[in-house]
Amino acid sequence: MTTRQSDPAHPPSQAAPPSDPAARPRRSHVPGDGTDHARRVEKARKDMLHEGASATAGRPALKRTRIGADVVCEALLRQGVEVFFSYPGGVILPLYDVLGDYPQLRHVLVRHEQGGAHAADGYARVTGKVGVCMGTSGPGATNLVTGIGTALLDSIPMVAITGNVPAALIGKDAFQEIDINGITLPMTKHNYLVRNADDLPRVLAEAFHIARTGRPGPVHVDITKDALQQETRAEHPTDDQVMAGLPGFRPNLDGHGRQLKLAALELARAKRPVILAGHGVLHAEAWDDLRAFAEKTQIPVAWTLLGIGAIDETHPLAYGFMGMHGWKHVNRAIQSADLLFAVGMRFDDRVTGNVRTYAPYARIVHVDIDPAEIGKNVAVEVPIVGDAGRVLRALLPMVPEVDPLARADYFAELADWKADSEGSSWHGSGAWRDGHLSADYVVSRIGELSGHEANYVADVGQNQMWLARYAGFRSPNSHVSSGGLGTMGFSVPAAMGAALGRPDRETWAITGDGGFQMTFQELMTLVQDHIPVKIALFDNKKLGMIRQWQEIIYAGNYHSAHLLGPDYLKLADAFGIPAFSAATPDEVDGAIRAAQAVDGPALIWFQIAEEQNVFPMMPAGKGLSDLIENWGGADE
Amino acid sequence: MSSDPSRNGVQPEPSAAPAAPAHTAPPPRALPGGGVSRAHRLVALVVDRPGVLNRVASLMRARNFNIDSLAVSRTDRADISRMTITLHGDDVAVEQAAKQLYRLIDVLKVQDVTSEPTVEHELALVKIRATDSTRAEILKLVEMSRGRAVDVSAEAIIAEVSGPETDVDAFVALVRTYGIKELVRTGAVVMARGAQSIEEALKR
């Protein structure tokens, strides 16, 4: 019985209702009742509330039919996925219903979907394989977004899978419905919304193919709940079928012959060349090619933040880390170079500073697999579109072998600069003189005591720069850092994925007290899944990089730079994680060794100097020649 | 899209660039772009999938390119749509837009046809205020502009005009004094002259 006014959008057909309400047939509240559409919506609503017959409920596991959720698991196995990071929720439950039938797939139950996305990212960075994370619709999906964005900016191969409400409910603001496809559209390499189980094999195969081919990147696959539940016989496509289905995706891998010749000419003419190695070298697994190329041409190699590990830092031609917080000698070499040979890097603003004053004497050869990167930030003389490894291999026989003696003057100058810069940058804040614990010292000890062969996972801010500068990287894919998006809270969850990806190596999460407090809920995941991450927590009771900027750029207006933190030993204890503390330089080695001896996760609370800065520093908007090397109290 | 991104940058020759003493200010490095802004026409062939228009529009917004007009239609191939995008920018910026479009998985081909001989057409419907005293005059103007009156009523005329953007602009300016009640324009569609075909170029 209803007394309310009729919906103006659905006016009753009879203008005059009968006077006796009881005699009147009850008006349906279902929009468009009786139509197929209305039936589909109604069924979808029931399914959402688990009223409808579940596709898998109550049947013996072996006799059940193959449903969309099975296709997802099959696809993961076909793609060689060993582990994925996920969090359940209403609409992705059909997947959890079948997961037990796929014991080869390791499921890590994270504590927050953002942690899952970062873990997949960390896994991908150390293995070079595609990382996989999942979440449910609505908040589960939006929680993944930061991790997907991090992967996009750093070109990380990742497949993020989310459940969505049943297809018929899309657009009706159903419970936990959000237009996640619209949200991830501008921040993925590609994304899909799958409404039909028959499409799943193709879409998932395409997703993995796109994620890892060409310039890698994250792909998001949103699957409606009913697609996960539908029975399907659709077969998984072959690689050729996947390629044929993507006519618009043909990354150019080989450099153009004419461009290679031009590059060889530039290299032959250059007197002060520098190689700029970026993340692309690691993606292409071209570290051996890079070394061979540098050795033959006798060109020193500088690297970007994400290019760390492209060459062993102890190699005689390895010159150093460039950019805003890079080594002064490296930036000087770039500023005086007559040729920059850039491989797999994108002239980010943290690398160039003010482009107008960047490398003013240099001609530029730019090798990148993504044509859109060439000429985007910096105009270049010789663009080469191709895979870093293939281009370096093609170029190697085309360049003349250079006698190191021919560059003796150049090398002598570079060596002088390096000696000068390393001497002045070391312990740049002077904190060590007062007996405070200096972060760069801690980082260098961690590097040393782990043999420079661990997975080192940075957070964002000062800790990230200290790690990049002082740990001493010897092998590829050992350094993990959120470069492009600069995602605080990245370290602990990404280290989780890195530790699972490369269990043969120790894994160190280097984090500040700020970033750590963003995602430390994953400590419990480390415990539950027994993931042996060693957390080096650099606690300066500050948002260190914020404080540094406020000191230098905002005239010491330290708003919100001071950060209260808990007693981290008690915190770790509450999680059941062994924790150690170090507040003076002589406690450092003991704490590191103690953490290394723990079987499983461990935490070290390094109470570092509160006002240590990262120097040198290039203020935003300035150029590489305008580095600040000390400030205020540092040298007083 | 066959251009050399370096053409906008005036670079010092390597021979003229020894390591200069620190006190000499080096010439500023040329930035990509910064050239003369002009109207460009991009033709894009895309796979006809749900959301592809959204992808293109979203990319142009996110990358800070301003679209003047965008016309989408089917092609002779059932699975392929064609977009004509007109935008303003210098050559390098527009080339960057084209390269970014190429990054979309559903985009098959992008061509900047700005400097090529093309046929360009746009269609407009203009609802013009008309009275007994002005109707004949307006009809005359429509006819002179090679337009067509497609609807004539007591107080208004709907005129259909087509041609290059500038012709449509001229007509609209011409009838504005009578009062434009409503105006709709399709945005330009373009096609390169001669036998070459962007669609056939796909079938490599």
Side-chain angles (χ1 to χ4, degrees):
Chain A
M1 195 63 45
T2 173
T3 53
R4 80 170 107 143
Q5 292 293 304
S6 59
D7 180 358
H10 303 275
S13 44
Q14 287 93 10
S19 53
D20 176 12
R24 189 174 50 171
R26 189 183 178 284
R27 180 186 168 280
S28 168
H29 292 299
V30 177
D33 201 1
T35 62
D36 276 355
H37 177 73
R39 270 193 291 279
R40 277 200 300 275
V41 171
E42 200 170 355
K43 179 176 181 307
R45 284 232 168 79
K46 282 184 179 160
D47 287 349
M48 275 274 280
L49 298 170
H50 304 279
E51 286 174 10
S54 158
T56 53
R59 265 170 298 162
L62 289 174
K63 285 189 179 172
R64 64 183 181 80
T65 52
R66 177 186 186 244
I67 60 168
D70 291 298
V71 175
V72 174
C73 297
E74 291 165 14
L76 296 185
L77 288 173
R78 286 172 61 89
Q79 299 292 341
V81 174
E82 313 151 325
V83 58
F84 67 98
F85 306 87
S86 179
Y87 202 96
V91 295
I92 204 171
L93 272 180
L95 183 77
Y96 279 78
D97 203 21
V98 305
L99 263 184
D101 296 345
Y102 300 88
Q104 317 93 299
L105 279 175
R106 180 168 177 189
H107 169 270
V108 175
L109 175 64
V110 292
R111 291 301 182 275
H112 186 288
E113 289 87 349
Q114 183 190 347
H118 290 327
D121 181 321
Y123 174 90
R125 291 190 204 226
V126 297
T127 60
K129 297 200 279 189
V130 180
V132 178
C133 56
M134 294 189 199
T136 190
S137 64
T142 55
N143 282 346
L144 286 173
V145 162
T146 302
I148 296 173
T150 306
L152 179 77
L153 269 279
D154 288 351
S155 306
I156 305 302
M158 178 197 282
V159 170
I161 297 174
T162 54
N164 205 337
V165 300
L169 288 191
I170 287 180
K172 302 213 180 297
D173 300 321
F175 177 62
Q176 292 192 330
E177 187 201 347
I178 195 83
D179 175 20
I180 190 63
N181 210 55
I183 292 171
T184 62
L185 183 136
M187 45 179 289
T188 48
K189 194 170 170 190
H190 198 53
N191 68 358
Y192 293 91
L193 169 60
V194 185
R195 303 157 183 263
N196 193 325
D198 292 342
D199 294 335
L200 275 172
R202 173 185 62 82
V203 166
L204 288 165
E206 286 183 6
F208 277 87
H209 175 72
I210 291 169
R212 68 169 153 246
T213 309
R215 178 181 185 173
V219 179
H220 170 225
V221 182
D222 195 24
I223 309 172
T224 62
K225 187 185 179 198
D226 45 346
L228 286 174
Q229 290 174 319
Q230 282 159 8
E231 192 178 332
T232 176
R233 288 162 194 274
E235 285 178 17
H236 295 276
T238 63
D239 290 354
D240 286 347
Q241 287 168 329
V242 171
M243 294 276 285
L246 295 168
F249 184 59
R250 296 278 184 276
N252 196 356
L253 299 177
D254 289 307
H256 193 282
R258 188 170 57 92
Q259 299 301 99
L260 292 175
K261 274 184 202 150
L262 287 173
L265 279 176
E266 297 280 354
L267 285 160
R269 276 195 303 208
K271 298 279 177 272
R272 304 175 62 87
V274 178
I275 293 173
L276 310 180
H279 203 184
V281 175
L282 299 175
H283 282 314
E285 303 186 351
W287 39 84
D288 290 336
D289 305 306
L290 176 73
R291 194 186 55 238
F293 184 81
E295 283 170 356
K296 184 172 182 190
T297 55
Q298 286 294 309
I299 302 180
V301 180
W303 50 87
T304 67
L305 179 66
L306 296 186
I308 287 174
I311 190 165
D312 182 338
E313 291 193 12
T314 59
H315 191 282
L317 286 167
Y319 200 54
F321 166 50
M322 68 176 94
M324 179 181 260
H325 290 290
W327 293 96
K328 184 186 175 190
H329 60 269
V330 181
N331 290 338
R332 263 177 105 171
I334 291 169
Q335 290 302 81
S336 75
D338 63 355
L339 179 72
L340 299 180
F341 184 84
V343 199
M345 54 86 75
R346 60 186 174 90
F347 293 102
D348 175 77
D349 51 85
R350 286 317 200 236
V351 155
T352 62
N354 184 346
V355 175
R356 285 236 177 262
T357 59
Y358 179 70
Y361 308 107
R363 292 170 65 81
I364 300 179
V365 177
H366 190 185
V367 183
D368 202 285
I369 198 161
D370 183 354
E373 286 304 342
I374 293 174
K376 183 179 82 177
N377 293 334
V378 171
V380 301
E381 277 68 31
V382 183
I384 303 178
V385 178
D387 170 86
R390 293 200 193 199
V391 169
L392 286 172
R393 285 193 291 276
L395 213 45
L396 190 64
M398 299 168 69
V399 291
E401 186 154 358
V402 175
D403 180 358
L405 289 176
R407 297 213 203 276
D409 291 351
Y410 178 41
F411 285 160
E413 191 175 16
L414 291 184
D416 279 354
W417 289 354
K418 187 170 186 175
D420 176 48
S421 151
E422 287 187 333
S424 71
S425 291
W426 186 251
H427 293 208
S429 75
W432 59 279
R433 280 180 234 159
D434 310 327
H436 292 307
L437 190 52
S438 170
D440 42 13
Y441 174 71
V442 178
V443 164
S444 66
R445 292 312 298 157
I446 290 173
E448 199 62 39
L449 294 178
S450 54
H452 305 279
E453 286 290 345
N455 301 314
Y456 303 95
V457 186
D459 210 81
V460 167
Q462 289 184 321
N463 62 83
Q464 182 181 29
M465 294 301 124
W466 283 317
L467 178 71
R469 290 171 61 87
Y470 301 113
F473 296 90
R474 303 260 170 90
S475 54
N477 296 339
S478 60
H479 172 253
V480 174
S481 192
S482 168
L485 200 63
T487 309
M488 276 178 72
F490 176 75
S491 176
V492 170
M496 194 159 80
L500 292 176
R502 286 292 303 268
D504 56 314
R505 296 199 292 217
E506 224 169 67
T507 297
W508 282 88
I510 312 294
T511 182
D513 47 324
F516 181 72
Q517 289 188 61
M518 282 191 175
T519 52
F520 71 67
Q521 75 281 351
E522 301 304 340
L523 290 180
M524 208 59 229
T525 315
L526 296 179
V527 173
Q528 182 169 355
D529 279 69
H530 199 72
I531 305 172
V533 172
K534 315 298 175 195
I535 300 165
L537 172 63
F538 287 68
D539 182 15
N540 53 8
K541 298 165 186 66
K542 298 280 184 296
L543 294 174
M545 193 61 96
I546 297 297
R547 199 207 60 81
Q548 177 171 346
W549 279 52
Q550 287 174 334
E551 176 183 353
I552 295 171
I553 300 166
Y554 293 93
N557 183 6
Y558 298 119
H559 196 291
S560 303
H562 184 73
L563 190 71
L564 204 60
D567 178 329
Y568 292 100
L569 296 182
K570 281 187 187 167
L571 180 87
D573 189 49
F575 282 98
I577 292 181
F580 312 91
S581 163
T584 57
D586 49 338
E587 291 170 348
V588 170
D589 283 17
I592 294 172
R593 290 214 170 87
Q596 286 176 317
V598 173
D599 175 26
L603 182 144
I604 310 175
W605 183 13
F606 291 109
Q607 299 181 56
I608 59 165
E610 292 191 19
E611 298 190 346
Q612 185 176 2
N613 286 335
V614 184
F615 287 125
M617 168 190 184
M618 174 179 65
K622 298 286 183 129
L624 284 189
S625 303
D626 307 313
L627 300 179
I628 295 173
E629 291 183 82
N630 51 54
W631 191 266
D635 273 357
E636 282 167 15
Chain B
M1 202 186 63
S2 59
S3 50
D4 172 10
S6 67
R7 69 193 157 186
N8 266 43
V10 182
Q11 298 297 321
E13 281 300 309
S15 55
H23 58 267
T24 348
R29 172 170 288 280
L31 297 174
V36 183
S37 179
R38 59 176 176 142
H40 283 257
R41 308 265 182 272
L42 294 182
V43 174
L45 293 185
V46 301
V47 181
D48 186 12
R49 291 211 183 108
V52 62
L53 175 60
N54 190 5
R55 286 180 201 282
V56 169
S58 170
L59 181 145
M60 298 303 259
R61 170 194 56 78
R63 297 274 172 188
N64 212 9
F65 301 115
N66 246 325
I67 300 181
D68 293 338
S69 78
L70 171 63
V72 191
S73 78
R74 279 178 293 196
T75 63
D76 193 38
R77 291 172 56 174
D79 54 335
I80 293 176
S81 296
R82 178 174 176 130
M83 295 184 182
T84 309
I85 303 164
T86 64
L87 71 167
H88 269 79
D90 72 66
D91 291 0
V92 174
V94 173
E95 187 190 328
Q96 177 63 208
K99 285 172 161 183
Q100 293 293 346
L101 285 173
Y102 255 118
R103 295 180 69 192
L104 297 177
I105 307 293
D106 289 337
V107 170
L108 299 171
K109 188 142 186 79
V110 184
Q111 204 172 6
D112 186 348
V113 296
T114 312
S115 354
E116 290 174 32
T118 54
V119 179
E120 178 193 316
H121 247 66
E122 175 174 16
L123 184 137
L125 296 176
V126 196
K127 188 177 281 183
I128 307 158
R129 196 181 304 279
T131 61
D132 289 346
S133 57
T134 58
R135 189 173 298 113
E137 222 174 288
I138 294 170
L139 288 172
K140 186 82 183 156
L141 286 175
V142 171
E143 194 184 324
M144 281 166 60
S145 308
R146 280 176 299 162
R148 218 153 60 89
V150 286
D151 181 70
V152 181
S153 60
E155 290 173 2
I157 291 170
I158 300 180
E160 174 205 303
V161 284
S162 69
E165 199 183 339
T166 46
D167 287 15
V168 176
D169 286 346
F171 175 77
V172 170
L174 196 61
V175 297
R176 185 166 283 131
T177 48
Y178 300 99
I180 294 176
K181 292 167 75 73
E182 224 178 300
L183 170 68
V184 59
R185 299 172 69 152
T186 57
V189 291
V190 297
M191 195 175 273
R193 290 179 186 273
Q196 56 163 309
S197 158
I198 183 172
E199 269 181 63
E200 283 175 3
L202 277 184
K203 302 168 190 163
R204 274 170 292 155

